[in-house]
Amino acid sequence: MLSEAQIQQISEFTQQHLQKTFVVSEQQWVRDFPRAAEHRWYHTLNVLQNTEKIVAGDKIPQDVADAARVAAILHDVSIFECDHSMHGRTGAETAKGFLSQNQYDPDFIARATRAIDEHGTDFDTLTPNEMGQQFSPEGKILIEADILDKLGAAAVSGALLILGKQARLGFECHELLSNSNAMQRATYFKDYIWSQTAKRMANQRFSFFLKFLEQLSEEVVEGPVADP
Ligand SMILES: [Fe+2]
Ligand SMILES: [Fe+2]
């Protein structure tokens, strides 16, 4: 069983690696987002919290739960040091290096890093059903936990922050949110969920997103959306 001290050590490594790679990254999207390292770390904590809810709710065996926890903490560790399409594979290698150096069991390392690699898969290549059949239990928990952070109030607030940066006004929000990346992502990813607990959470969160839009349209008179 993983100890608190181990969770702490893996968390510190991840947070430091994110910060270190963020500072030297030359990728434009990273340079355009001055608090990207902090943002990614707090996303990681949300994913870990979602993982805890899934493993408790679905009574996941200890060994799978521990590998899923470690995968959750390390899943985006390499996000700033490679192309997004490679961040699962590269993150798995970074995680393997760290976990091996710290004498984790090779079988445990293989399970955690396989999950990290799997979460970086191009989703267009596999249906939810195919992924459900082919992926490891730890990989599926990680993917669900990650997707849950894209579905509900977190998705709404993230999208509103982007609209605020673009100097958008309240009367434009309903239309812009309805057609936002956040809505498209939530609609696309919400079916890549397999456990009972994550299904319940996903339904509740996505319904909240839709409900928010409904309530907004009830309260706010919409006007024409200006060119940005
Ligand atoms: Fe990721
Ligand atoms: Fe993520």
Side-chain angles (χ1 to χ4, degrees):
M1 188 181 163
L2 276 178
S3 67
E4 267 309 308
Q6 285 172 309
I7 297 266
Q8 187 62 28
Q9 188 200 23
I10 299 166
S11 298
E12 274 166 24
F13 166 75
T14 304
Q15 216 176 345
Q16 281 163 14
H17 193 83
L18 283 172
Q19 185 57 34
K20 223 167 51 187
T21 50
F22 162 73
V23 170
V24 296
S25 173
E26 286 172 0
Q27 297 187 76
Q28 200 50 49
W29 75 272
V30 182
R31 299 277 46 92
D32 289 343
F33 190 1
R35 296 182 70 186
E38 250 178 297
H39 167 79
R40 190 55 51 173
W41 176 243
Y42 277 88
H43 159 70
T44 298
L45 291 179
N46 293 345
V47 175
L48 180 60
Q49 180 169 260
N50 293 336
T51 300
E52 294 297 357
K53 288 181 180 169
I54 295 166
V55 301
D58 270 50
K59 301 189 172 42
I60 301 296
Q62 183 81 50
D63 55 335
V64 176
D66 278 347
R69 284 184 182 101
V70 169
I73 301 169
L74 286 157
H75 81 285
D76 280 340
V77 68
S78 291
I79 196 95
F80 301 129
E81 55 187 337
C82 59
D83 185 79
H84 192 268
S85 63
M86 289 302 297
H87 85 287
R89 178 64 46 89
T90 310
E93 281 162 21
T94 305
K96 188 175 178 193
F98 171 77
L99 295 169
S100 307
Q101 238 175 30
N102 286 280
Q103 279 85 48
Y104 282 84
D105 176 68
D107 175 60
F108 181 81
I109 296 175
R111 294 166 76 158
T113 55
R114 178 177 169 188
I116 297 170
D117 191 3
E118 285 173 338
H119 109 280
T121 302
D122 176 359
F123 280 59
D124 286 339
T125 61
L126 291 171
T127 64
N129 222 350
E130 289 165 341
M131 209 177 259
Q133 281 163 12
Q134 294 173 28
F135 279 20
S136 64
E138 296 85 353
K140 284 187 276 186
I141 294 170
L142 170 58
I143 289 167
E144 297 176 332
D146 200 17
I147 287 173
L148 283 167
D149 204 34
K150 300 176 169 64
L151 300 186
V156 174
S157 58
L160 289 175
L161 285 166
I162 292 170
L163 294 178
K165 245 189 258 174
Q166 297 166 351
R168 293 303 192 170
L169 300 178
F171 70 84
E172 298 174 307
C173 281
H174 183 271
E175 185 173 337
L176 291 170
L177 265 180
S178 303
N179 299 309
S180 61
N181 277 341
M183 174 51 88
Q184 281 162 14
R185 277 196 322 181
T187 308
Y188 179 81
F189 286 118
K190 70 178 171 41
D191 298 322
Y192 285 86
I193 302 271
W194 302 275
S195 73
Q196 289 311 311
T197 304
K199 276 186 183 156
R200 265 198 307 278
M201 291 167 72
N203 282 335
Q204 191 273 333
R205 291 184 185 195
F206 190 59
S207 309
F208 173 85
F209 197 149
L210 298 177
K211 182 81 197 134
F212 181 86
L213 285 172
E214 200 184 302
Q215 179 87 17
L216 192 61
S217 119
E218 212 173 287
E219 293 181 19
V220 176
V221 175
E222 282 183 64
V225 172
D227 285 334

